[in-house]
Structure formats: structure tokens, C-alpha cells
Amino acid sequence: RRRTGPRGDRAAGGPDAGGPGRGRIRRWRTGPREDRAAGGPDAGGPGRGRTGPWEDQTLEDRAAGGPAAAAMMAAVPAARHRLRSLATLCRAGPRLRGAASYSTALSISSPPPAAAAVRNHRPPPKERQRREPTFPRTEKMEVNQDWRNVYPIAAAFKPSVVPLPVRMGYPIKRGVPPNKTGNLELIKIPNFLHLTPPAIKMHCTALKDFCTEWPVALDNDEKCEEHFPIEIKTTDYVAAGPSARNPNARVVTLTIRLLNLNLDEHAKKKLIKLVGNRYNKSTDLLTITTDRCPSRQQNCDFALYLLTVLYHESWKIESWESDKTEADVDEFIWENSRSEKNVLDTVCRMKEAENLPSISKEELVNSPEIKSYKKSVVNIKNGGETEDSILEYKECVKKLLKLQTAT
């Protein structure tokens, strides 16, 4: 049902209001237009099942419409009474206009029913989570306790466990650094609370059964180098960072003296040419550093592989090496050189001129005059002419030719 007319007329009970003075009620009737025009069951006549389009009828016309109209007319006074009560409430309380009442559930702030508190004989969650504050563990520790049970392994700093007045951090207002309670700086960094001297001694005692005694014969470095000529060096890093791994820990350095390798003169020179600046002539040390592999063990194996390849490659003699002349060599070689032949011929002629018994070539080569002369010539040829090398060569020639210094 729908009311028409201004709101003021309806509130005052005018002809368009819901009171007894209203004259007409408009209804919406549905159904085909042809049925309504022919007065069918969907038309506005008696016995119709649905209401048709808007149609104006008076109360007297409706009363003559049959039993359905009579029943409807009997319900009109009750509907009017309810409409009047609603209009009265709207005039009395303007806030109630358009208000509707719904059945709502309990709000969050409303107290729970009594049955919920004793359900399953358990207290509410808030009461279960409450815990009474306890004293820190440091106040319950004994003086003679075993610290290895407190920090058995590496762990973050726990202020309630460490009975030390540790402070760390930036001083606030020119005061002292913050104490250990709630100090994040102490938690960030690694600690060595698990590596106390008693703990280290216990670990060493446990590992002692898996170790062997140091050989008695290796009592000095010379003997160790003689029996173990290869030395491998690695470095472990300990630092405060997001990871315990350090990329530089994979680097492996291998050192060995060429004296400990079974090399002849040709293989030694070739090996020195192959390794380049990795060989130190003054200490006779060959150093090989590997860091291209991701792990330390792989770099160690690679260094040993390089040493093996260099050793076998230095012993190879290519076909072009036999065609080299004295001018092609990189450094002066005394053996079988012109200088050696000339000095031997000179000494032999001197022996013949003095009517001295002849001496074999091996004896001449091993004589002190020839050895000193050989050393001075090699220094000048390979090291260059310097004042000291020229003076040394001068003295060696005088001794070889048995010339006295003029006074």
C-alpha cells in the first residue's frame, strides 16, 4: 500500500493521510493488459488473484466486490490503528523516524556469560598467559658451578645467564655505556663464552684419543723440511658478520724449494722460465697460490696438480732446444763455453813453458784459481759490469797468471 500527499497532511490526518478522512487508496495491479480490459482473473473485478494497474476505488465499491473484498475491508481498521500509532511515535520522537530494530549478537565489550568462565574447567586465555616475574638466573647461580653446562656450545649473549657486569654501546648523555639488560649490541656480535680454558681443555682431552704423537726424529725445522718439503698454508678468519664464512679462507699457498726437487740444470732453468715471478732466486723458493676454486680442498688439489705438471714439463726436451747456440741462450753458461776452453788452454801452455808435469782437465777445472775465475766471469756476463765485479775479475786474472801486484 502506498500513501500519497504532502507529509504535513498525513501528519495532520488530512484527506491524504492515513486517518479516516482519506478518500482513496492506490494499488498496483499486475497481469496482462488484455485480461484487465476483459475483466479476467487478473483484472480488478471480484475473484481476481492479483491487483492490476493503478485504480481508484472507494470503500463502498470495494465492499460490493465479494468475500475477498469483505475480508480485506475487515482488516482495514486494524491497519489504520497501527499506522496511527506509528505516526504518533514519529511525532513524539523525531529520532525514531525510519528506525528499525534488529536482533543483534553480544558485543565484544559485553561480559561473557557465567557458563563460559567455567567451560572445560579452564580459565580464560588472558589469565592463562599471565606469568609472575621471576628472578634472573644469575642470582641463583653458585660460585663453584660448571660453566660448561651454562654455555656448552656457541650461542647468543643472554643477559640473564652471564653473571658479569658487561656494558656495551654508545654512552647516553656523556654517561656510561648501557648495561647488559636488553642490550642489542651484545646480541649482535659473536662471543667466546663457550670457549673458556676449562672447556678447551675438555675438548682437547676428548680429541687426544684420535691424535698421534709427534715423531721424535722431527725435532727441528731442517729435518721437517727434509722429510716434508712441500708446505701448504691456509688462513681461517673470525669476524663479526652475517655469515661465518669468509671468501678469503679458500686461498691456498704452496711453497717448496727447488733444491728438494730432482731436477738437472736444463729442467731447473726451464722450470724457472715456466713459473716466472713465482720463483725467488735468493731463497730458492717456489710459491704457488690458488684461489680460483670455490672450496679450500679444491684449491689445494689444484696447487698440487700444477706442481706435478710443472715438474714433468720441465724434463721435456723439445726438438728446437738442441739447435740453440751460445748466442741464443738467456744467460751465460760456463760449461763448454769459449771462456772455459781459453782458460784451460792458457793454463796448459803455462805448465808446458815452465816444464811442469801435465795435469788432467778435471784437476784443472777443480783448482781454486779456475773456480774463482769462473765465478767472476759468470757474474760479469749475467749480472752486468760493475765496479766490484771488474775488481774481482782483475784479482782472479792476476792469481791465475801468477802476476804480482806492483808496489
Side-chain angles (χ1 to χ4, degrees):
R1 306 181 75 177
R2 183 177 179 184
R3 301 176 187 173
T4 59
R7 183 179 297 177
D9 295 342
R10 295 199 304 272
D16 292 334
R22 72 183 180 199
R24 298 178 180 179
I25 297 177
R26 294 181 178 179
R27 292 188 177 182
W28 178 259
R29 298 180 180 179
T30 60
R33 183 174 298 177
E34 293 78 4
D35 294 343
R36 295 198 304 270
D42 291 335
R48 67 180 183 267
R50 300 180 181 178
T51 57
W54 289 101
E55 182 181 351
D56 297 337
Q57 290 183 348
T58 59
L59 296 177
E60 291 78 11
D61 296 338
R62 294 195 201 99
M72 183 179 62
M73 290 300 298
V76 167
R80 288 179 178 177
H81 179 71
R82 288 193 296 270
L83 292 174
R84 288 173 183 173
S85 301
L86 182 59
T88 304
L89 290 174
C90 291
R91 288 194 299 270
R95 294 182 181 180
L96 297 177
R97 294 181 181 179
S101 61
Y102 302 94
S103 59
T104 58
L106 294 175
S107 61
I108 298 176
S109 59
S110 60
V118 296
R119 184 177 56 185
N120 296 333
H121 303 283
R122 293 185 302 177
K126 292 184 178 180
E127 296 183 5
R128 290 200 305 267
Q129 294 177 359
R130 292 179 182 177
R131 295 181 180 178
E132 296 296 334
T134 59
F135 295 98
R137 185 180 173 184
T138 54
E139 299 183 5
K140 304 177 183 179
M141 290 181 175
E142 299 180 358
V143 179
N144 58 350
Q145 68 173 345
D146 191 358
W147 183 254
R148 294 170 297 179
N149 298 331
V150 180
Y151 265 89
I153 59 175
F157 182 83
K158 301 174 184 177
S160 62
V161 175
V162 181
L164 300 173
V166 183
R167 291 179 175 270
M168 185 175 180
Y170 185 78
I172 301 175
K173 295 182 180 180
R174 298 182 180 180
V176 297
N179 57 4
K180 63 181 180 179
T181 304
N183 196 329
L184 295 179
E185 298 298 331
L186 290 172
I187 301 176
K188 292 178 183 177
I189 61 174
N191 58 75
F192 296 94
L193 295 173
H194 62 289
L195 295 179
T196 55
I200 296 175
K201 186 177 181 180
M202 182 191 67
H203 294 323
C204 294
T205 304
L207 295 175
K208 190 175 182 180
D209 298 337
F210 303 95
C211 300
T212 57
E213 296 183 0
W214 185 261
V216 183
L218 303 176
D219 54 352
N220 52 33
D221 296 339
E222 289 75 13
K223 293 182 179 179
C224 293
E225 185 178 356
E226 179 182 357
H227 295 281
F228 302 96
I230 299 177
E231 182 179 355
I232 296 177
K233 296 180 181 179
T234 57
T235 307
D236 295 324
Y237 296 86
V238 179
S243 176
R245 300 182 180 274
N246 193 304
N248 295 329
R250 74 182 193 277
V251 181
V252 176
T253 303
L254 183 148
T255 57
I256 186 174
R257 296 184 185 275
L258 296 187
L259 181 64
N260 297 323
L261 295 176
N262 185 18
L263 300 173
D264 60 358
E265 192 66 23
H266 166 265
K268 182 179 179 180
K269 292 181 179 179
K270 190 172 184 180
L271 180 62
I272 293 174
K273 289 295 182 179
L274 290 174
V275 298
N277 57 359
R278 297 176 180 86
Y279 174 72
N280 188 350
K281 188 176 181 180
S282 59
T283 59
D284 194 34
L285 277 177
L286 171 63
T287 304
I288 299 176
T289 303
T290 55
D291 59 351
R292 63 175 57 187
C293 299
S295 66
R296 177 185 295 178
Q297 185 61 39
Q298 291 175 342
N299 285 318
C300 182
D301 296 341
F302 184 58
L304 294 174
Y305 165 77
L306 290 178
L307 179 61
T308 305
V309 171
L310 289 172
Y311 177 80
H312 290 286
E313 190 69 23
S314 62
W315 277 97
K316 292 182 180 180
I317 299 177
E318 304 294 339
S319 58
W320 53 268
E321 294 184 17
S322 59
D323 300 336
K324 291 174 62 176
T325 60
E326 186 177 353
D328 297 330
V329 296
D330 298 332
E331 60 180 6
F332 177 75
I333 301 175
W334 172 260
E335 288 75 11
N336 300 325
S337 63
R338 291 182 180 179
S339 298
E340 183 183 15
K341 294 178 180 179
N342 293 336
V343 71
L344 292 178
D345 294 341
T346 303
V347 173
C348 289
R349 289 198 301 268
M350 290 175 60
K351 296 288 184 183
E352 293 176 358
E354 295 176 359
N355 296 324
L356 296 175
S358 61
I359 304 175
S360 63
K361 182 179 179 181
E362 288 76 11
E363 293 179 355
L364 288 176
V365 171
N366 294 327
S367 63
E369 293 81 4
I370 299 295
K371 286 185 176 179
S372 61
Y373 180 77
K374 169 188 173 181
K375 182 179 178 182
S376 62
V377 172
V378 171
N379 289 337
I380 291 176
K381 293 287 185 178
N382 295 331
E385 295 183 2
T386 60
E387 184 176 359
D388 295 336
S389 62
I390 295 297
L391 291 176
E392 182 183 1
Y393 177 75
K394 175 182 176 182
E395 296 297 331
C396 292
V397 171
K398 287 182 178 180
K399 291 180 181 180
L400 181 63
L401 301 178
K402 297 179 181 180
L403 300 177
Q404 296 181 358
T405 305
T407 57

